[in-house]
Amino acid sequence: MIREALEAVRAEIDAAALAAGRAPAEIELCAVSKTKPASSLREAYAACQRVFGENYAQELADKRAELADLPGLVLRMIGHVQTNKARVVARIADAVDTVDRPELARELGRRAAAAGRVLSVMIEVNVGGEAQKHGVSPDRLGEVLDAVAREPSLALEGLMTVPPHTEDPAGARPYFARLRALRDAHGGARALPRLSMGMSHDFREAILEGSTMVRVGSAIFGAR
Ligand SMILES: *Cc1c(COP(=O)(O)O)cnc(C)c1O
């Protein structure tokens, strides 16, 4: 089941890339495995999936331990990180895609340095300006970028967003375009090579707007 679903999603990613005049290899698939058992990640791994997204620090830590025998497994933190969880996340995650405040950048940088590693990060931007959502507001993105740049143990990959929900996935396109425009306003693809945007219901639209990483959960692992 997971293998078939993964293959279908990969085929749709490739088709969306070609429709956008882009090379399919430009788009990475992050399989979002939150709340799913380690056995589901093993199934996906057997179908050649290597990159997974997790939302909760403890769950990520548990899966890291349970799946320690899988070489090349990449576990990205895509959920909100409370400052008191920075230590554990900086030690065990391969990347944190939800840095949204200078304080968290400082704490992750300090903890990654103490662990003797360089942690990949993305900055989460609240492009819709929704009060209940995490992510830095577009006008304060520069402050978080500066804070990340001051941490030698953080490697900045790019920007990430979760747009406001719209019934019609086409409604998300302006928000994806907004993230791309912010990237262009803050150094372009050289400074910020990756754009993480697009989920199960709107990854095709995100690819049309320049996404380089789609985060797909339910379309692969089923409903949560
Ligand atoms: C859960 C989650 C996803 C995946 O959502 P699906 O709709 O299941 O594809 C992607 N990104 C983030 C930040 C999430 O929390």
Side-chain angles (χ1 to χ4, degrees):
M1 275 289 280
I2 290 175
R3 176 183 294 272
E4 285 76 13
L6 253 175
E7 282 167 6
V9 167
R10 288 192 187 120
E12 286 195 63
I13 290 171
D14 291 357
L18 294 173
R22 304 178 58 200
E26 281 176 29
I27 296 130
E28 180 153 47
L29 171 59
C30 175
V32 177
S33 44
K34 63 176 174 230
T35 78
K36 300 295 178 185
S39 58
S40 294
L41 287 84
R42 279 189 193 277
E43 266 187 79
Y45 184 95
C48 295
Q49 182 63 29
R50 292 294 176 270
V51 180
F52 296 85
E54 287 286 338
N55 286 60
Y56 310 101
Q58 186 57 50
E59 194 179 338
L60 196 155
D62 291 346
K63 285 175 179 161
R64 180 106 267 166
E66 286 171 74
L67 301 169
D69 57 310
L70 302 183
L73 179 77
V74 174
L75 296 178
R76 306 187 72 100
M77 179 62 176
I78 63 165
H80 180 66
V81 180
Q82 290 173 301
T83 308
N84 64 9
K85 292 281 161 53
R87 181 168 172 273
V88 62
V89 168
R91 282 178 178 275
I92 58 165
D94 293 294
V96 177
D97 295 348
T98 49
V99 177
D100 63 357
R101 55 201 192 278
E103 178 196 27
L104 180 59
R106 278 194 296 275
E107 195 61 15
L108 287 172
R110 188 164 83 85
R111 299 297 189 176
R117 59 195 301 249
V118 173
L119 180 67
S120 294
V121 297
M122 292 202 195
I123 297 175
E124 181 179 9
V125 185
N126 184 355
V127 284
E130 295 171 283
Q132 76 281 13
K133 276 228 175 93
H134 295 293
V136 65
S137 65
D139 55 311
R140 307 195 73 169
L141 172 57
E143 293 170 35
V144 185
L145 281 165
D146 290 345
V148 170
R150 280 194 291 271
E151 298 300 329
S153 295
L154 298 184
L156 181 61
E157 292 189 341
L159 306 179
M160 176 270 207
T161 198
V162 180
H165 182 77
T166 51
E167 278 308 316
D168 178 2
R173 281 190 69 166
Y175 298 104
F176 295 146
R178 182 96 203 273
L179 193 72
R180 192 188 59 219
L182 281 168
R183 188 268 302 275
D184 294 343
H186 288 275
R190 274 192 66 182
L192 300 164
R194 305 185 106 173
L195 289 179
S196 173
M197 53 190 199
M199 315 192 342
S200 291
H201 75 292
D202 59 10
F203 68 83
R204 302 156 199 84
E205 287 73 20
I207 290 168
L208 292 173
E209 294 294 348
S211 175
T212 70
M213 181 180 287
V214 292
R215 307 178 309 269
V216 180
S218 48
I220 297 169
F221 296 108
R224 286 180 297 272

